């Protein structure tokens, strides 16, 4: 068991690298499978010093749910932004800055949240506060900045909290 | 069958064309730099996504083999688009916003871009 842990310090990364290699080769054969797995073993061992405190994913079903929610929101975001760009006169738009106080602490979780905010409806993450306790978000068009903040906290941060913490 | 497949592929190509156009048009139309960034980060995702879905469908229905290269492109796009947008936003805050023009940063007092200890390297920068 200990030997296995040393050989595969990061089993999920091993799996992901093998999979990505298959996609790069674009063809599943024993040859590419073996080489992908070889990369999947070597790369985590070599890069180990770069992730000293890596987070554990606690809740795998929640990861799937999160990905599905985000994909759905990306499609909605595209349509919403397209409508604003095409049909809303610029003077009628209310761009606004919103501060989102963060409950998430791990850098990885905050990174995922910031990326998600950028990809989803009418919001763009712009900056972190000096010690990482809040996130600065720009809204393309909003009547009520507080509602935007509450929705992001409820929809994404709550799920990320369950995944990472 | 072949006609239905072609119809489906064309549909995704048209969707991607529309969203690609809206993304570029947004860059021209929106008035302030921060708003302008919304158009390319979002509309383009579906723009590129549509082409990639059409490409997967084409390889399945026309070339009769499964090609999933395109999923990687989607993945890389989702990873890189927010990061580059974040860089541009930081630049904008650095050059055009002051702590007073942004909302209050809460318990930390100041946003990271404005948290500059000493201005030496900034002062040396050629104007």
């Amino acid at each position: 068991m200990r030997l296995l842990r040393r050989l595969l310090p990061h089993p999920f990364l091993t799996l992901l690298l093998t999979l990505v290699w298959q996609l790069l080769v674009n063809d599943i054969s024993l040859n590419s499978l073996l080489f992908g797995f070889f990369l999947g073993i070597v790369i985590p061992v070599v890069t180990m010093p770069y992730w000293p405190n890596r987070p554990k994913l606690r809740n795998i079903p929640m990861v799937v749910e999160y990905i599905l929610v985000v994909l759905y929101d990306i499609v909605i975001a595209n349509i919403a932004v397209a409508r604003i760009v095409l049909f809303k006169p610029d003077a009628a738009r209310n761009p606004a800055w919103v501060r989102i106080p963060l409950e998430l602490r791990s850098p990885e979780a905050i990174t995922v949240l910031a990326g998600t905010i950028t990809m989803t409806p009418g919001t763009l993450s712009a900056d972190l506060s000096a010690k990482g306790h809040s996130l600065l978000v720009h809204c393309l068009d909003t009547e009520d900045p507080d509602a935007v903040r509450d929705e992001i906290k409820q929809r994404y941060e709550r799920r990320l909290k369950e995944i990472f913490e | 069958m072949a006609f239905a497949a072609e119809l489906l592929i064309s549909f995704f190509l048209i969707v991607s064309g529309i969203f690609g156009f809206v993304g570029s048009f947004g860059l021209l139309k929106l008035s302030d730099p921060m708003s302008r960034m919304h158009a390319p980060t979002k509309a383009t995702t579906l723009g590129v996504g549509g082409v990639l879905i059409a490409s997967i469908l084409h390889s399945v229905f026309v070339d009769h083999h499964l090609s999933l290269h395109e999923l990687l492109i989607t993945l890389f796009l989702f990873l890189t688009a927010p990061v580059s947008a974040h860089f541009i936003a930081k630049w904008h805050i650095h050059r055009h916003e002051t702590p007073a023009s942004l909302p209050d940063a809460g318990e930390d007092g100041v946003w990271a871009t404005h948290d500059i200890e000493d201005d030496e390297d900034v002062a040396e920068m050629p104007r």
Side-chain angles (χ1 to χ4, degrees):
Chain A
M1 202 56 214
R2 277 192 100 167
L3 183 73
L4 196 69
R5 275 226 80 83
R6 282 189 80 158
L7 266 178
L8 296 174
H10 200 327
F12 179 70
L13 187 60
T14 304
L15 196 72
L16 190 72
L17 284 167
T18 315
L19 195 73
V20 166
W21 185 255
Q22 304 313 309
L23 288 173
L24 275 173
V25 176
N26 210 9
D27 173 36
I28 295 183
S29 66
L30 187 64
N31 189 352
S32 66
L33 210 62
L34 276 178
F35 192 69
F37 190 61
F38 169 74
L39 289 178
I41 288 178
V42 169
I43 292 176
V45 171
V46 171
T47 59
M48 200 147 45
Y50 296 102
W51 27 268
N53 304 311
R54 78 191 151 96
K56 286 211 164 52
L57 299 181
R58 299 202 185 285
N59 195 336
I60 300 299
M62 191 51 106
V63 175
V64 177
E65 185 187 315
Y66 187 77
I67 291 174
L68 290 179
V69 166
V70 170
L71 281 180
Y72 174 77
D73 284 354
I74 286 175
V75 175
I76 299 296
N78 275 274
I79 296 167
V81 170
R83 191 181 286 153
I84 292 173
V85 166
L86 289 178
F87 301 119
K88 199 147 188 172
D90 232 36
R93 219 162 35 81
N94 296 314
W97 294 100
V98 180
R99 179 177 81 94
I100 302 194
L102 290 172
E103 286 162 45
L104 295 167
R105 284 277 65 90
S106 94
E108 289 84 0
I110 296 177
T111 309
V112 175
L113 181 68
T116 312
I117 288 172
T118 298
M119 303 304 280
T120 49
T123 49
L124 197 77
S125 50
D127 207 356
L128 263 174
S129 66
K131 297 204 172 56
H133 288 93
S134 345
L135 196 63
L136 181 63
V137 169
H138 185 265
C139 288
L140 182 57
D141 178 28
T142 178
E143 302 284 313
D144 183 4
D146 288 347
V148 174
R149 185 195 61 207
D150 293 341
E151 199 195 332
I152 288 173
K153 285 192 81 73
Q154 173 63 19
R155 205 171 166 82
Y156 307 120
E157 197 188 17
R158 180 179 58 81
R159 291 193 169 91
L160 283 173
K161 237 174 123 74
E162 285 181 41
I163 291 172
F164 284 99
E165 281 161 21
Chain B
M1 182 59 202
F3 178 70
E6 273 172 28
L7 206 65
L8 203 62
I9 294 169
S10 321
F11 170 76
F12 279 110
L13 282 177
I14 290 170
V15 166
S16 92
I18 291 171
F19 280 103
F21 169 74
V22 170
S24 328
F25 180 63
L27 269 178
L28 282 174
K29 189 209 159 197
L30 299 173
S31 51
D32 51 307
M34 280 307 292
S35 300
R36 233 174 271 149
M37 273 173 29
H38 285 272
T41 48
K42 302 205 184 55
T44 331
T45 338
L46 215 59
V48 179
V51 178
L52 298 177
I53 293 173
S55 164
I56 293 178
L57 290 175
H58 184 271
S59 71
V60 170
F61 288 118
V62 181
D63 298 342
H64 299 290
H65 74 91
L66 186 64
S67 163
L68 293 176
H69 256 151
E70 291 82 357
L71 288 182
L72 272 188
I73 303 179
T74 320
L75 184 72
F76 293 151
L77 200 69
F78 283 3
L79 289 178
T80 52
V83 176
S84 42
H86 190 74
F87 275 15
I88 301 173
K90 280 220 161 220
W91 170 83
H92 172 78
I93 292 172
H94 192 68
R95 299 308 294 267
H96 297 290
E97 304 282 349
T98 58
S101 66
L102 295 175
D104 174 43
E107 57 197 291
D108 293 350
V110 65
W111 296 103
T113 311
H114 289 135
D115 186 26
I116 307 168
E117 299 266 308
D118 54 277
D119 290 323
E120 275 176 45
D121 55 335
V122 180
E124 281 167 15
M125 221 164 66
R127 297 274 161 177

